[in-house]
Structure formats: C-alpha cells, structure tokens
Amino acid sequence: MKKAYTLLLLALFFLPVKDAFSQVKPDHTLSKLEIRGLIDTLRSTLKRHYILPEQAARMDSYLKAKLLKGGYDKLTDPGKLARQLETDINAIHFDAHMHIMYEPGMRPPAALSPEELSKAQQEQLTVEKDNNFNLQRVEVLPGNIGYFLFNGFTPNVEEVKATMSAALTFLSNTKALIIDLRYNGGGNTANQFSSYFFKEKTHLYDQVNTFSKDTISLYTDPLVTNQLTLLMPMYILTSKNTASAAEAFSASMQALKRATVIGDTTLGAAHATGFFPMSKGFIARIPFARPISTSTFKDWERIGVIPNLPVPAAHALQKAQETIYTDLQSKATSDKEKRFFQWAINALKANEGVPGPNVEVLNRYSGTYAGGIRFYVENGNLLCKNPERGNNETFTLKAVSESTFVLDENAQVEFVKDQDGDYSGINLLWKDGSISQKSKEAK
C-alpha cells in the first residue's frame, strides 16, 4: 500500500518546463464554451478528490449556480478567471492548500518524454542543492544544547540524506536538541526525518485519501538513518508560518511525547495536496488526503498545532533555552554542574536587557580587586578593566540581577557583601561551572 501511495504522489507532482511545451499561449483569451468546460472539469475534480466530501458538494453547488447565471462568462482572461475561482471556492470553505492556477508552462511527468523528465528533475535538484536542501543552521548553544534550523522538507530523499546525517551527527552529543521550524512551510519526507528520533519502528499517525479510500499508516523507519539515533530531550519551535509537513512533524512528536512544542500556534494546513491538470493550462491544487485523529493525535486542519508552551514566536528560542537549562539544573548531581547551567540562565537574562541597579548602587561595586581587576562607573554603566585580558580592552557589564553581571564571554561576576554590608569581594563565575573569589583591595 505504501509503495502505491508514493507513486501516486509522484504522479501528482508537476515540474516546470519550457514555454515551448505549453498547451496555450499566456495571452490566450477564453471563449464562453471553454470557460464552461473548464469549470465543469473543476467541479468534477473537486467532487472526486477533495478530502472533505461535504465541502466539495457545497463548492460544486456554488460553482454550478454561478456558472448557470453567467457569472464567469466575462472572465475571458485566464489569470483573472483562476483567481476568481480560487476566491469563490475559499469563500465557501477556506483551505490554505487549495489553489487554482493558470500555468500553461507546466505539465505532469506523464506528459514528458524521459529526457524532458530527467532534465526537469535535475533542474529541481540543482535548486534544492543551491539552497542546501533548506538546512540553514546547525549550532551548539551554551550548556551543550543543540540547535537545528531548517526551513523546508525536501522530496529529494536520497540526495539530502548525507547532509541531514552530517547535521544530526554534529548534534548527537548535545544534552538537549532544539529543532527550529518557525520558518518551515512544509514539503515532503517528514516521516523520514522523524526516524532519527526513535530507536524502534514507531507509528506516527494515519491518513485517508480520495484515491484508494484506505487508511495509510505512517511509521518511522530505523533502517533509513544508518543507525544514527538522537534520544536526548527535544524541543520544537513553531510560528504562525509553520505549515504542512512541518506541522505533521510537530504534531506527531508532541502526541508521542517525544518533544515539547514552544512558540505560536501553527498555520493549520494539515491536508496533503496534489496538482490536477484540467485544460487550457489550468491546474487545480487540491487537498486529497488528511490525517486521522486518534486518542493522542489530533488533526490540526484550520486549528494548528497548539504549543505545550505558548509564547510569541520571536521569544521561542529564548523560552526553549530557559526551559532546558532549568530542567537540566534541577537534575544536576553536583554544585559545579548546577553552576554550569545557572551560568547559561544568567547569560539569557542578560541578553533580555534586564534593568540594572542605579548609579548609587553601582558606585558601591567600584574599586580594584585582587589581580588588578578594576570596576568603575561611567555614563551610568558599570565598566571593567581586566589586566588578564589586556588593559586596552574595556568591558561593559550586563546586568543579570541587582548584584550579578555578565563580564565577558567566559566569566560572570557576583559582588559579595561582607558582614558590615559593604561590597568587599567578588565571585567570578566561570562558564564551566567553576568559581573563584577575589577580595577588594584597600584604597
């Protein structure tokens, strides 16, 4: 069943070809007879293949009634007719995946010669490679947290495998993994990507479609990952632009409790689509398959995937890091390990622009401490000269709290009161969780 489904998807995928292959010229004007024939074909295609039969019936009734009244007769410009048909259909039932297009320069693979098909596929692959298959950024964040940004799922499953594997291998020793899908509009192979995060074959969700009428079960497949499995805690970042296959990945990982979703509710485009040729250069993009809700997994069409931790998308990465560091700190088994994660939490707070203490308080921190490290106030800011970094470099401290500041990329400083209430020493908090103390030198 799965093989037939894959072939079906390929048959519905369109490839751009030269204008010489077009069925009609772009400046073609449609006759009333052609308009009526086109709309009859659209109505028939909707009734056969739109995944929601009751909505397809409503669309059909509206199109039929408007056609009989002559409502489309004057739309002889193909582009204007396509836009009006899409507007009318979505007015009956909005579907983010539903589109009517006038594309005379596109044909289905079945209409191409083997040479034309091979050339078109190679051109598409070149575009994908030039964009690195939408894999945009791989990074290890403070605290050994993996971060992976990618903006689309590719249909080139075999070609992307080496790049995807390299990216995930780089992140395989991190303590937690953040998958950033805030700019991911979907595509193909979400189930293959899911395979990297389970040891065993795992049921993701089911789909029904208007071709076989059967239920298709989608699973992870450990055989496609070359034994690379990432089992660390996972966090998925979403936005209102996260759509389609990116939503499927998010929804299934959330339902299986494999990941925590953080950010905005996603777009709500759950239905798989195919491209259906009509006539005269018109193509209908019609959703023909949809996921089935189960006890844990819910169809997100027009609803979106609702995050476990809802925050504005712009703050999702910050929230994910805070959540991870707090969780890991609670599980730490030594004071040094706890300070290691506290250092990371402090760095995040400082980057948020936490308001610092007033100048009167800052002046109490001023002075030279053991080793020649000197703090002073200038223009309302607490500055530092550290001879270990060279006296020509000045550091502006960023507040974490009333008495704790980020000093540089490796150290934070905590000003410590003595029994008389004077700030007479500092704790230097190092990135690795170690700590060193320095006393204030006498004036």
Side-chain angles (χ1 to χ4, degrees):
M1 182 183 297
K2 288 185 180 179
K3 183 176 180 180
Y5 183 58
T6 301
L7 292 175
L8 170 63
L9 288 176
L10 291 174
L12 295 174
F13 182 75
F14 275 67
L15 297 167
V17 294
K18 292 182 179 180
D19 286 342
F21 302 138
S22 302
Q23 293 178 329
V24 293
K25 295 180 180 179
D27 59 354
H28 178 76
T29 299
L30 298 170
S31 67
K32 289 183 181 180
L33 185 61
E34 288 173 327
I35 292 172
R36 290 172 180 264
L38 173 69
I39 294 175
D40 284 341
T41 301
L42 174 59
R43 290 172 52 211
S44 176
T45 304
L46 287 169
K47 286 190 292 183
R48 286 200 311 271
H49 295 300
Y50 188 48
I51 191 59
L52 301 176
E54 68 282 2
Q55 299 299 340
R58 293 179 62 216
M59 294 171 185
D60 174 61
S61 295
Y62 180 88
L63 293 173
K64 180 180 179 181
K66 186 169 179 177
L67 182 63
L68 291 175
K69 293 178 182 177
Y72 296 108
D73 289 351
K74 294 182 180 180
L75 291 174
T76 59
D77 178 273
K80 290 181 180 179
L81 177 60
R83 289 190 291 274
Q84 188 60 54
L85 289 171
E86 182 174 319
T87 297
D88 290 348
I89 288 172
N90 277 307
I92 298 301
H93 176 76
F94 178 77
D95 191 316
H97 275 145
M98 178 80 75
H99 298 289
I100 308 300
M101 301 167 286
Y102 175 65
E103 294 287 352
M106 298 182 75
R107 292 190 295 163
L112 302 178
S113 69
E115 293 78 13
E116 292 168 350
L117 179 59
S118 176
K119 181 179 179 181
Q121 290 173 331
Q122 190 58 48
E123 288 174 351
Q124 182 202 17
L125 177 59
T126 298
V127 171
E128 291 267 347
K129 285 183 175 179
D130 286 345
N131 198 36
N132 199 40
F133 298 103
N134 282 308
L135 310 183
Q136 299 296 309
R137 182 176 160 196
V138 181
E139 183 179 357
V140 177
L141 302 174
N144 194 25
I145 306 304
Y147 174 79
F148 188 14
L149 167 68
F150 70 104
N151 297 341
F153 290 90
T154 177
N156 299 105
V157 177
E158 291 303 318
E159 291 82 358
V160 74
K161 189 178 290 186
T163 306
M164 181 68 78
S165 179
L168 293 174
T169 298
F170 176 75
L171 299 171
S172 61
N173 294 312
T174 54
K175 293 179 180 292
L177 179 61
I178 299 171
I179 305 291
D180 194 342
L181 302 182
R182 288 177 291 176
Y183 318 100
N184 192 313
N188 301 79
T189 69
N191 59 316
Q192 176 169 325
F193 181 61
S194 302
S195 298
Y196 287 98
F197 306 109
F198 296 91
K199 260 188 176 181
E200 308 293 337
K201 183 178 180 180
T202 303
H203 182 207
L204 294 172
Y205 58 93
D206 296 329
Q207 275 194 339
V208 293
N209 70 81
T210 58
F211 286 87
S212 66
K213 309 294 184 183
D214 292 331
T215 298
I216 299 166
S217 296
L218 299 175
Y219 290 84
T220 63
D221 183 0
L223 297 179
V224 304
T225 68
N226 295 324
Q227 299 183 330
L228 174 61
T229 307
L230 285 74
L231 299 177
M232 70 282 287
M234 183 163 64
Y235 299 79
I236 299 171
L237 309 186
T238 58
S239 75
K240 292 180 174 63
N241 297 316
T242 305
S244 196
E247 292 178 284
F249 175 74
S250 302
S252 55
M253 294 299 100
Q254 183 186 60
L256 291 166
K257 301 189 184 304
R258 180 61 188 86
T260 300
V261 178
I262 301 175
D264 272 326
T265 299
T266 62
L267 180 64
H271 299 165
T273 61
F275 291 79
F276 295 83
M278 291 186 288
S279 62
K280 306 302 177 184
F282 283 81
I283 299 168
R285 180 181 177 184
I286 298 175
F288 70 94
R290 65 179 178 86
I292 302 172
S293 295
T294 66
S295 59
T296 57
F297 178 86
K298 304 298 180 185
D299 182 354
W300 65 92
E301 179 69 18
R302 304 185 75 181
I303 299 170
V305 179
I306 300 172
N308 300 95
L309 297 175
V311 295
H315 301 152
L317 178 56
Q318 179 98 2
K319 183 64 175 178
Q321 289 175 272
E322 289 176 359
T323 302
I324 293 168
Y325 297 144
T326 302
D327 179 61
L328 292 175
Q329 187 183 47
S330 70
K331 298 174 182 175
T333 57
S334 68
D335 289 341
K336 184 176 181 180
E337 189 179 8
K338 289 178 182 178
R339 290 194 298 267
F340 174 83
F341 292 114
Q342 187 61 52
W343 197 100
I345 293 170
N346 290 348
L348 282 176
K349 289 182 178 179
N351 288 333
E352 286 179 345
V354 175
N358 59 41
V359 173
E360 182 181 349
V361 174
L362 294 178
N363 281 325
R364 297 177 67 189
Y365 304 148
S366 297
T368 302
Y369 295 74
I373 184 169
R374 182 168 68 92
F375 297 94
Y376 61 98
V377 178
E378 188 176 282
N379 297 324
N381 295 311
L382 185 62
L383 307 182
C384 176
K385 289 279 191 180
N386 184 359
E388 293 183 2
R389 293 289 297 264
N391 284 320
N392 292 326
E393 190 170 5
T394 301
F395 298 90
T396 301
L397 278 70
K398 297 164 71 173
V400 174
S401 66
E402 181 80 3
S403 59
T404 304
F405 299 79
V406 170
L407 175 58
D408 59 29
E409 70 277 10
N410 294 311
Q412 297 169 5
V413 59
E414 178 186 24
F415 292 90
V416 181
K417 285 182 181 180
D418 59 23
Q419 60 185 6
D420 296 324
D422 297 323
Y423 287 98
S424 59
I426 59 172
N427 292 328
L428 284 176
L429 312 173
W430 299 100
K431 193 173 185 177
D432 65 357
S434 60
I435 185 171
S436 56
Q437 298 175 325
K438 292 180 180 291
S439 298
K440 196 174 189 178
E441 295 179 353
K443 294 183 180 178

